[in-house]
Every structure is written in C-alpha cells, then in structure tokens.
Amino acid sequence: MSAENSTSKETPNPAADGSELIRFDGVMKRFGSNVVLDHLDFTVSSGKHVTLIGPSGSGKTTILRLLMTLLKPDEGTIKVGGEYLTHEERNGKLVPAGETHIREVRKNIGMVFQQFNLFPNMGVLRNITEAPVHVLGLSKDEAEERARELVELVGLTEHLDKYPSQLSGGQQQRVAIARALAMRPQVLLLDEVTSALDPELVAGVLDVLRDIAHTTDITMLVVTHEMNFARDISDDVLMFDAGRVIESGSPEKMFSDPEHERTREFLSAVL
Amino acid sequence: MNKWDWSNVDDFMPRFWDGVLVTLQALAIGSLIAFSLGLVWAIAQRSTLIWIRWPVIAVTEFIRNTPLLVQLFFLFYVVPEWGPSMSPLATGIVGLGLHYSTYTAEVYRAGIEGVPAGQWEAATALSLPKTRTWTAVILPQAIRRVIPALGNYVISMLKDSPMIAVIGAFEMLGEAQAYSNETFTTEALTVVGVAFIVIAYPASLLLRALERRLVR
Ligand SMILES: Nc1ncnc2c1ncn2[C@@H]1O[C@H](COP(=O)(O)OP(=O)(O)OP(=O)(O)O)[C@@H](O)[C@H]1O
Ligand SMILES: [Mg+2]
C-alpha cells in the first residue's frame, strides 16, 4: 500500500471511477506561423495512465504545458474534471478565466519536469512542504508528516535535510516527484523525466514511478522514450504526428502491431 | 609648498571625526534606501500593469541618466518650495539613496532575469501564489547572486558621498576642504584621502570574500 493513499485525510483525489477527467476540444496552438497543435481532440479517463509518443516536435511537451497552464491555447478548450481550465462560463458565454479560477482547477494537476526544477534555495523537506502549506493551507506539521511519507516512498529518507545541489540527478528527480505528489493532484504530468539523467540513475526513478502507477489511482500523462516503462505502466498509448493523434490503443497493440505506417516508422526508430 | 605639520592634523581631528560620522551615516542609510527602493523599482518594472511599469521605467531611466549633483540641488532648493524641506544631511542621504536605487534596480533586474524559467514554471505547477513565488523562490535566488554587484555600488556611493557637501552636508572631504580654506594648509586633505582608502580598501576585500562564498 502506498503512503500516498493511506494518509488521505482530506478529500481531494476523488477515487478514480473511470469517468472523463481530461478533455481537449479543438485545441489549437501555434508559435508564430508554426501550427503545433491542429484542432486536437482527445480525452483521458480518470485513473488511466496514458503515454504520448511521437517524433520530436510533434507537440507532446506542448500538450503537457497547456494542461499545466504554462501555455494558453490559441483556440479550443481544455476541461479537467468537468471544469474549463483556461475559460470560465459567464452569462452562458465562455470567457478567458481569471487567475483565481485557473488556480482552483490547476490544483488538480501536478507536473514533473525533465530538468527537475527543484528550488535550490530550499532543503528537500521544504521543497515538498512549501506548496501544501502555502497553497493547500496545511499546518507545517501536517505538511511535514506528508512530506516524510513521500520521501520514504521515493526512498530518500536519509537525505531529508540536504539541499538539491547535494543530491544526484536521480535523487533530485525523486524529490521532484514527491513534491508534485504532496499536492495530491488527480493528474500527474511527466515530461521525459529521465532524459536528463545519467543512464545508471534512470532505473531508480522509473521504479518509483512504476510503484506509484501500480499502487495509486492517480491519472498519468507520460511522455517518455523508455518504451519498456511505457509498456509496463500504460493503459493507452497515443501516437502524435503533426499536432494530431494519428493512432491510439493498448501498449500491446501499439508496440507489436501498429496500424499506421508513421507509427511503425517511429517505433522501429526508437525500439 | 608648506612642510608637513602634524599640529595641523591634530587641530583638524575633531572636525575630521564629525565628517567621518556624516560619511558613514550617508553611506549606511543611503545604501539601505538604495537596496530597498531598487528592489521595488525592479519588481515594478516587471509588473503586468502598464500604468505601473511604464512610469517606473521612465522615472528610473531619468534619474539614472542625470547627474547626482543636479538631483542634490533639486532636492535641496526646488523640492522645499512645494514640498517637505529637510536638513542638508537628510537631503544628501535621500539624494544618494534615490540616485543609487536606479543602479541597484538594474542589478536586481539582471539577478531576477538570471533565475531560470524552470523556477517560475515549477512555482506555477505548484500553484504558489504570486507573492509567495517572489519572496520564497525568485528573490532569494536573484539576490544571492547580485550581492557582490550591490556591494560594488556601496563603494561607488562612498566615492560619490563628498558631493553632498555642495548642499552643506559636511562629510569628511567637506570638513577637510573647509578647514584647509580657513587655515591655508593641506594636511587635512591628505588625512581625508587616506581615510577614503582606509574605508574603501577593506570594504572591497570584504566584498571579494563575500563573492567567493556566494558565487560558487
Ligand atoms: N516556446 C516556444 N516558442 C516557439 N516554438 C516552440 C516553443 N515551444 C515549442 N515550440 C515548437 O513547437 C513544436 C512542438 O514542440 P514540443 O516541444 O511540444 O514537441 P515535442 O513533441 O515535445 O518534441 P520532443 O520529443 O523533441 O520533446 C516544435 O516545432 C517546437 O519548435
Ligand atoms: Mg518534448
């Protein structure tokens, strides 16, 4: 049993019941004249682990960044848990959402970055407790208790008092995972979280993520080049090309018998 | 040239210490103003509200690009006509602090821009409130890396501090010049020259030590 579930005192994380959690509707994103997402539609059910694959530049990172509100869509809407993420309904009309609304919806989403992005001026413990205290309003004690459990989950108990610069990349990334989970998000976004790591440190991080995938009901959107890992944890694999989903299916089907020529080409290049 | 006469030095000493006190006061309080006001400018210059950002940029550019001497005269002779009037020393301190705040604002700005975008993104991903992002994440990292540059401006300010004598705040050099004019001697000026070195040199050593510790 994971520390993550056994300590749920409050109520966020409504049990994953397979209902629709994420919905992209006609999402369009351009950078200048470069159309990166072209009227993209897709949905993710709660509790599912979905891996996004596709060639470099196909827009995988852009999708995760849109969900994290680090980018805004040029057109279309994104819903999370039935709520519009960057829009609000006012007098029956959809208008761009205010900061308060975005913040509320965004609390359901956590992200782990390729470059970890830990706060270097804070120790491990405070990296993890900072947001639970200042965003969720937990007391310092509650937040620290939660942090300690998560640090144990990611196997770093003896490093609790260190600063990020005193940790290896793999350890830093495991702290970053704990930091994201401390917010008890419904959705965890993972964008190539092992790409910046030395090869010998990759397995440790992937093991932690496998554990989380198998023992919690958190929904995951994963971008990774680790195809074995993707096969282990995914319920669905989405193949992107030129800003659209060109094929999707179970990892078994996608990795052994893809239908689309582009998928075959892509997989033969990475597998 | 007159011969060096120690009795002139002895004679000057009481006024020298008065001057040192004024110099150190101007430097200490002026730095405090420059450091805190500069931070306010730097943050305001990044405001998303154009009616905050734009005036602040205009005013700081203006102050930075006009001579301190003119600003001192303005504060001392023009401002009291329609606003508060202050003692020469207080005016001098405000003038130094205000002038240098426009330099420290640039220093802070560079420090803030030097914080990797990933730090802002991580703060957003955790939904940290704006003020918390600034005070707990961005500023501690930004300020740490600009402390040496800020320190350099303290030394520049020390070197500019004699200017406040023009509005009657007699710091070390002002006292020495007055003494020399009254007595037709030069020893006092030499004493003050040495005093500047005695203050500035250890200060710059201290700065360099700080730099080695902070910028690793
Ligand atoms: N901030 C930006 N400004 C301009 N163009 C951008 C920006 N971010 C991404 N792009 C462009 O958008 C396209 C999609 O980028 P994205 O990072 O989403 O691809 P990706 O599928 O994650 O690729 P990779 O596998 O290389 O990480 C690329 O052509 C990229 O150059
Ligand atoms: Mg990417």
Side-chain angles (χ1 to χ4, degrees):
Chain A
M1 195 51 228
S2 78
E4 175 57 6
N5 281 340
S6 56
T7 56
S8 303
K9 276 177 284 184
E10 323 80 29
T11 48
N13 242 346
D17 54 7
S19 64
E20 177 184 293
L21 184 60
I22 297 169
R23 173 176 206 98
F24 276 55
D25 260 322
V27 171
M28 178 92 164
K29 183 67 200 173
R30 333 181 180 76
F31 294 105
S33 61
N34 179 9
V35 176
V36 177
L37 299 182
D38 184 10
H39 293 100
L40 176 69
D41 302 313
F42 79 97
T43 61
V44 175
S45 306
S46 74
K48 295 291 185 208
H49 308 143
V50 176
T51 299
L52 314 182
I53 60 172
S56 181
S58 59
K60 307 178 296 292
T61 296
T62 303
I63 290 168
L64 299 197
R65 291 172 67 82
L66 282 165
L67 267 167
M68 199 66 261
T69 70
L70 299 171
L71 292 173
K72 294 226 160 96
D74 296 316
E75 279 175 41
T77 57
I78 301 169
K79 275 183 162 182
V80 176
E83 296 274 347
Y84 287 109
L85 181 61
T86 55
H87 294 79
E88 274 175 294
E89 274 169 306
R90 216 175 281 154
N91 310 326
K93 269 179 39 185
L94 268 193
V95 294
E99 188 57 32
T100 329
H101 174 88
I102 294 177
R103 184 178 301 280
E104 266 325 294
V105 184
R106 184 173 55 204
K107 276 187 204 164
N108 300 314
I109 308 169
M111 185 162 186
V112 181
F113 300 88
Q114 188 175 340
Q115 299 295 340
F116 334 135
N117 295 348
L118 291 180
F119 302 131
N121 55 318
M122 303 178 191
V124 168
L125 190 64
R126 231 194 97 200
N127 259 282
I128 302 173
T129 59
E130 179 67 21
V133 169
H134 293 279
V135 180
L136 302 181
L138 263 60
S139 74
K140 191 157 172 276
D141 287 346
E142 288 172 310
E144 289 192 355
E145 192 190 322
R146 186 182 284 193
R148 279 173 214 283
E149 280 158 3
L150 287 166
V151 165
E152 196 183 330
L153 175 78
V154 300
L156 291 172
T157 303
E158 65 275 35
H159 301 291
L160 206 57
D161 299 320
K162 292 193 177 160
Y163 279 82
S165 59
Q166 297 168 306
L167 300 175
S168 74
Q171 292 167 334
Q172 290 188 50
Q173 194 58 298
R174 283 184 277 156
V175 174
I177 292 167
R179 179 176 71 172
L181 290 178
M183 293 296 284
R184 302 259 164 89
Q186 286 177 273
V187 188
L188 189 61
L189 308 176
L190 305 166
D191 189 5
E192 303 197 34
V193 296
T194 56
S195 299
L197 299 179
D198 292 336
E200 73 273 18
L201 301 176
V202 169
V205 171
L206 293 182
D207 284 345
V208 165
L209 290 173
R210 270 194 195 90
D211 188 29
I212 293 164
H214 292 143
T215 59
T216 72
D217 49 20
I218 197 166
T219 307
M220 289 182 168
L221 249 69
V222 184
V223 176
T224 183
H225 293 138
E226 303 287 337
M227 291 303 161
N228 287 325
F229 170 71
R231 204 191 308 253
D232 287 352
I233 61 141
S234 305
D235 299 299
D236 278 306
V237 177
L238 304 187
M239 170 72 192
F240 282 85
D241 194 30
R244 288 171 168 274
V245 182
I246 58 167
E247 183 173 2
S248 68
S250 68
E252 293 76 27
K253 172 179 162 288
M254 289 291 281
F255 289 137
S256 52
D257 184 25
E259 273 165 23
H260 213 285
E261 179 57 31
R262 288 288 290 148
T263 315
R264 265 197 290 276
E265 275 171 24
F266 172 75
L267 287 172
S268 68
V270 295
L271 280 178
Chain B
M1 267 321 267
N2 293 334
K3 272 240 188 70
W4 181 264
D5 185 349
W6 283 106
S7 70
N8 285 331
V9 176
D10 282 348
D11 203 22
F12 172 58
M13 270 305 127
R15 291 174 70 172
F16 170 72
W17 291 117
D18 288 347
V20 169
L21 192 67
V22 171
T23 300
L24 293 181
Q25 268 178 304
L27 198 61
I29 307 173
S31 302
L32 274 181
I33 295 174
F35 290 169
S36 39
L37 204 54
L39 188 56
V40 173
W41 298 147
I43 294 172
Q45 284 176 358
R46 292 182 62 105
S47 169
T48 47
L49 304 172
I50 192 159
W51 52 268
I52 291 184
R53 187 174 69 231
W54 209 85
V56 167
I57 291 175
V59 168
T60 52
E61 279 294 310
F62 180 76
I63 296 178
R64 190 171 48 246
N65 291 302
T66 48
L68 172 58
L69 210 52
V70 176
Q71 290 158 20
L72 289 172
F73 281 131
F74 184 81
L75 283 175
F76 194 66
Y77 294 111
V78 182
V79 170
E81 305 230 327
W82 38 264
S85 72
M86 294 182 292
S87 72
L89 178 57
T91 309
I93 290 172
V94 168
L96 276 173
L98 186 65
H99 187 75
Y100 273 90
S101 74
T102 63
Y103 292 107
T104 58
E106 287 299 292
V107 171
Y108 286 123
R109 192 171 65 85
I112 290 165
E113 278 168 9
V115 176
Q119 295 292 305
W120 290 98
E121 293 175 358
T124 303
L126 292 166
S127 281
L128 282 185
K130 265 265 149 52
T131 42
R132 194 67 200 164
T133 302
W134 276 107
T135 57
V137 178
I138 304 301
L139 289 181
Q141 296 180 51
I143 292 176
R144 186 188 161 91
R145 67 182 77 200
V146 301
I147 285 177
L150 291 178
N152 284 332
Y153 278 117
V154 177
I155 291 174
S156 302
M157 202 188 289
L158 170 68
K159 292 194 273 185
D160 271 353
S161 62
M163 282 197 212
I164 67 176
V166 299
I167 52 170
F170 278 19
E171 42 62 67
M172 312 194 281
L173 188 62
E175 291 286 1
Q177 205 189 356
Y179 181 86
S180 301
N181 288 345
E182 289 157 22
T183 58
F184 305 104
T185 60
T186 55
E187 284 83 354
L189 290 168
T190 311
V191 168
V192 165
V194 173
F196 270 109
I197 297 172
V198 169
I199 297 174
Y201 187 63
S204 60
L205 287 185
L206 199 76
L207 268 179
R208 227 159 295 155
L210 201 65
E211 194 168 338
R212 269 197 300 277
R213 282 209 44 196
L214 290 177
V215 185
R216 268 176 303 190

